[in-house]
Amino acid sequence: MEPYISVKNVSHKYPNGVTAIKDINLDIHEGEVVAILGSNGSGKTTLVKHFNGLLKPTKGEITVGTMNTKKERISKLSSQVGYVFQNPNHQTFLPSVRQELAYGCKNLKMAEEDIETRVQKAIDLFQLKERLDDNPFDLNSSQRKEVAMASIMAVSPKVIVLDEPTTGQDHKGCKRVLELVRMFKREGHIVVLITHDMHLIGELNCRTVVMNQSEKIADDHASVVFSDKGIMEEAGLQPPQITQFANQITSFDETKTYLTVESIIEWMKANKEEDVKVGTGS
Amino acid sequence: MAAKAIEVNNLTFSYPDTDEPVLKDINFSINHGEILGIIGPTGAGKSTLAMCVNGLVPQVINGEMEGTVKVNGSKVSESSVAKMSEEVGFVFQEPENQLSQMTIEEEIAFGMGNLGVPRDEMLGRITHALDQVGLTGFEKRSPLALSGGQQQRLAIAAVLAMRPSIMIMDEPTSMLDPKGKNEVYDVLKNLKDYGMTGIIIDHEVERIAAYCDKVLVLHEGEVQMFAPSDEVFTNIRQLHELTLNAPQVTEFLASYNQTFGKDVKLSTTLEESVNNFESACK
Ligand SMILES: Nc1ncnc2c1ncn2[C@@H]1O[C@H](COP(=O)(O)OP(=O)(O)OP(=O)(O)O)[C@@H](O)[C@H]1O
Ligand SMILES: Nc1ncnc2c1ncn2[C@@H]1O[C@H](COP(=O)(O)OP(=O)(O)OP(=O)(O)O)[C@@H](O)[C@H]1O
Ligand SMILES: [Mg+2]
Ligand SMILES: [Mg+2]
């Protein structure tokens, strides 16, 4: 199968001379959820800003669907690629949450009725009912990010790029982001997700690309990446706390990488905990 | 008896034009050399409370305040914000709003300049602060040409260079990579060794549990818990009722006990949880 997004030998040098990504190759297929991890300044945001044409490669090429991002206009690209900025101050907003939520759909000339159902679905998931008349400018950055995510959800473009969606979110907000990504996945979208939130990756257990010092140093399943000590160390990453815990428990299956609390409990239930001789209480 | 580092009595605060106060009858105190973690859902009032401690609320951000806040024994309401900034360093939730200068070097010098730190002394402190946050070599770069996490690191460095005796950090690690998050908490711990006092607000509870002496749980403007961090994070039922979570290891042990009818002693740190679980397995 042809990849939907194809990144070929792409480098990007900012005008001040900083080379932020170097010779990146990456193919993303329809329906894939891909997480991008890596330390601060490793080039994650720079890379994904290429997907909707906000940045153009200074070397190499990117194709999205049939479009070459160098030649295509941002407006055309962004009908296919929705992008939630890392910094919501960089995202432009209309003067009310209500207008903002409908904007993308209107732009694509969807039918009024259709827009209404789409917007309502987003309002429900993000519990925005009471904020519809607020000016996004008056919201704090995590709330503004939620509005941005809700707007993208209403449009539901083919590709959805979320740059650090759980930053500043409370526990409930993080669960909502997880739900959103799972919903996009069920509906067959491509989701590209940048995050420093290892719990989120543990829950998603998805394909994981690791960036380090402008280069791609790993591209594999989260459980494989998280058990690769060399890569984790090089990129300054840490697996979720529960994975670190499980790695130290002698009675657990050494060949498995446990990424969530629930998965361990389920595994113990399935293996009847007496058999694995854990917990006689104290 | 020596004065407390921070003492808050019967503090109630309302923003203009809101019906209900956002902080309701808050009482707590912390000693010199202690680190306090503040957790709570979005909108609970964490940032507002933190800004009451350095006087920004209500002196710059207006509203109606009752009760008293004392820092090192003197009332914050009787001191100017400028005077307070000599004692209390504040890292804001949105780092970008804190940045105003042309270069990173100037950004860090800015706060020190306001305190009247001599030129030679400044240079040494700039070098040290940049080293503490991993930004050595970035001196001449524009703060705008930084990644999100690098900007957050810079905002922290600028406050560290002012060498306050009390450090308040409002979600300072939200955009940092895992290694960077650890480094920020380590910096707090080092300050503690010098007898300095810290308050840190965070949605990620695992580091709060590992590093903070006490934890205050805020919910809809009220203090729901204020206790040593172990006590707070092993009270899983109440945390869940407040839509909050405990560290993954604590969640696991609680879930394990419940599912299999065991009573392994709950712990809130990785090492201790491994020990408790392993010894219960024998
Ligand atoms: N300047 C302001 N004017 C009016 N209301 C405000 C102002 N700042 C905050 N609020 C409101 O006060 C309440 C507490 O806000 P605060 O920012 O202290 O919460 P928080 O616990 O820090 O939340 P978060 O986790 O999202 O940072 C919220 O309902 C918020 O909308
Ligand atoms: N506008 C810009 N001009 C010049 N250099 C930049 C600019 N934006 C980012 N950089 C630099 O490019 C490199 C990659 O930045 P990028 O924002 O892609 O990192 P990131 O992986 O997203 O980091 P973070 O986790 O902190 O968000 C960094 O060294 C950064 O300093
Ligand atoms: Mg980034
Ligand atoms: Mg806040």
Side-chain angles (χ1 to χ4, degrees), chain B residues 89-128:
Chain B
F90 201 105
V91 178
F92 287 90
Q93 186 166 355
E94 301 190 15
E96 210 190 30
N97 300 349
Q98 193 182 319
L99 305 175
S100 62
Q101 304 297 302
M102 299 297 286
T103 69
I104 284 165
E105 205 167 51
E106 289 165 31
E107 194 62 64
I108 297 180
F110 184 70
M112 285 191 279
N114 289 341
L115 297 184
V117 177
R119 187 84 210 154
D120 289 349
E121 166 86 21
M122 267 193 200
L123 293 176
R125 288 204 202 178
I126 290 172
T127 309
H128 183 60

Side-chain angles (χ1 to χ4, degrees), chain A residues 46-246:
Chain A
T46 305
L47 173 62
V48 302
K49 277 186 174 169
H50 283 78
F51 296 169
N52 68 346
L54 273 178
L55 293 176
K56 309 282 183 192
T58 48
K59 254 193 215 147
E61 299 214 320
I62 298 187
T63 45
V64 175
T66 54
M67 299 175 282
N68 180 322
T69 63
K70 255 190 201 160
K71 291 167 193 149
E72 216 59 64
R73 297 169 49 162
I74 293 194
S75 59
K76 179 118 182 275
L77 277 163
S78 55
S79 69
Q80 296 296 307
V81 185
Y83 179 52
V84 175
F85 282 72
Q86 173 172 6
N87 185 338
N89 296 341
H90 297 168
Q91 198 126 18
T92 51
F93 288 101
L94 291 172
S96 79
V97 170
R98 187 191 306 276
Q99 286 167 287
E100 181 58 37
L101 292 180
Y103 175 75
C105 300
K106 285 199 168 135
N107 231 1
L108 295 173
K109 307 211 165 47
M110 294 180 187
E112 275 303 322
E113 259 167 57
D114 190 22
I115 296 181
E116 214 165 291
T117 33
R118 283 163 174 267
V119 169
Q120 193 55 49
K121 227 174 112 190
I123 291 172
D124 292 343
L125 179 67
F126 286 96
Q127 297 174 319
L128 289 171
K129 211 168 97 200
E130 260 119 60
R131 290 200 213 130
L132 291 176
D133 295 315
D134 290 0
N135 187 331
F137 192 73
D138 293 331
L139 302 174
N140 74 22
S141 68
S142 59
Q143 293 170 326
R144 238 176 296 156
K145 217 156 184 173
E146 289 198 311
V147 172
M149 283 191 269
S151 317
I152 297 254
M153 175 178 162
V155 176
S156 276
K158 179 151 193 126
V159 181
I160 291 138
V161 182
L162 305 172
D163 198 344
E164 299 197 20
T166 58
T167 296
Q169 301 282 346
D170 61 9
H171 184 54
K172 221 166 122 193
C174 292
K175 287 208 280 200
R176 196 147 50 213
V177 169
L178 183 61
E179 205 179 311
L180 182 74
V181 175
R182 287 188 171 143
M183 186 194 75
F184 284 141
K185 183 179 159 71
R186 271 198 310 275
E187 293 176 355
H189 297 275
I190 290 175
V191 183
V192 180
L193 172 109
I194 295 178
T195 191
H196 295 295
D197 182 352
M198 301 301 142
H199 296 177
L200 179 65
I201 303 301
E203 295 286 345
L204 287 169
N205 194 8
C206 56
R207 178 177 167 194
T208 299
V209 169
V210 181
M211 297 286 298
N212 191 45
Q213 298 187 357
S214 317
E215 294 183 77
K216 185 179 108 175
I217 60 165
D219 183 354
D220 212 321
H221 213 258
S223 54
V224 177
V225 172
F226 280 168
S227 48
D228 187 331
K229 289 211 180 77
I231 293 288
M232 295 297 279
E233 189 138 315
E234 189 182 350
L237 293 170
Q238 270 185 334
Q241 189 186 44
I242 195 64
T243 306
Q244 299 176 44
F245 173 83

Side-chain angles (χ1 to χ4, degrees), chain A residues 39-41 87 89-90 141 168-171 196 199 238 241-242 248 250 269 273 277-280 282, chain B residues 42 94 96 147 149 153 171 175 177 182 203 206 245 248-249 252 256 259-260 262-263 270 278 280-281:
Chain A
S39 55
N40 294 132
N87 185 338
N89 296 341
H90 297 168
S141 68
Q169 301 282 346
D170 61 9
H171 184 54
H196 295 295
H199 296 177
Q238 270 185 334
Q241 189 186 44
I242 195 64
Q248 294 181 50
T250 44
K269 272 191 199 160
E273 44 89 41
K277 282 203 297 184
V278 273
T280 49
S282 50
Chain B
T42 288
E94 301 190 15
E96 210 190 30
S147 75
R153 287 163 184 258
E171 301 191 27
M175 285 188 282
D177 54 51
N182 291 343
H203 287 294
E206 282 148 14
N245 61 334
Q248 278 190 319
V249 287
F252 170 75
Y256 171 76
T259 312
F260 300 109
K262 306 289 180 183
D263 61 349
L270 180 61
E278 287 282 48
C281 290

Side-chain angles (χ1 to χ4, degrees), chain A residues 14 16 18 20 38-46 86 164 196, chain B residues 138 141 144-150 175:
Chain A
Y14 282 106
N16 68 352
V18 174
S39 55
N40 294 132
S42 57
K44 305 178 297 295
T45 296
T46 305
Q86 173 172 6
E164 299 197 20
H196 295 295
Chain B
F138 285 71
R141 185 102 62 97
L144 298 179
L146 289 179
S147 75
Q150 289 169 338
M175 285 188 282

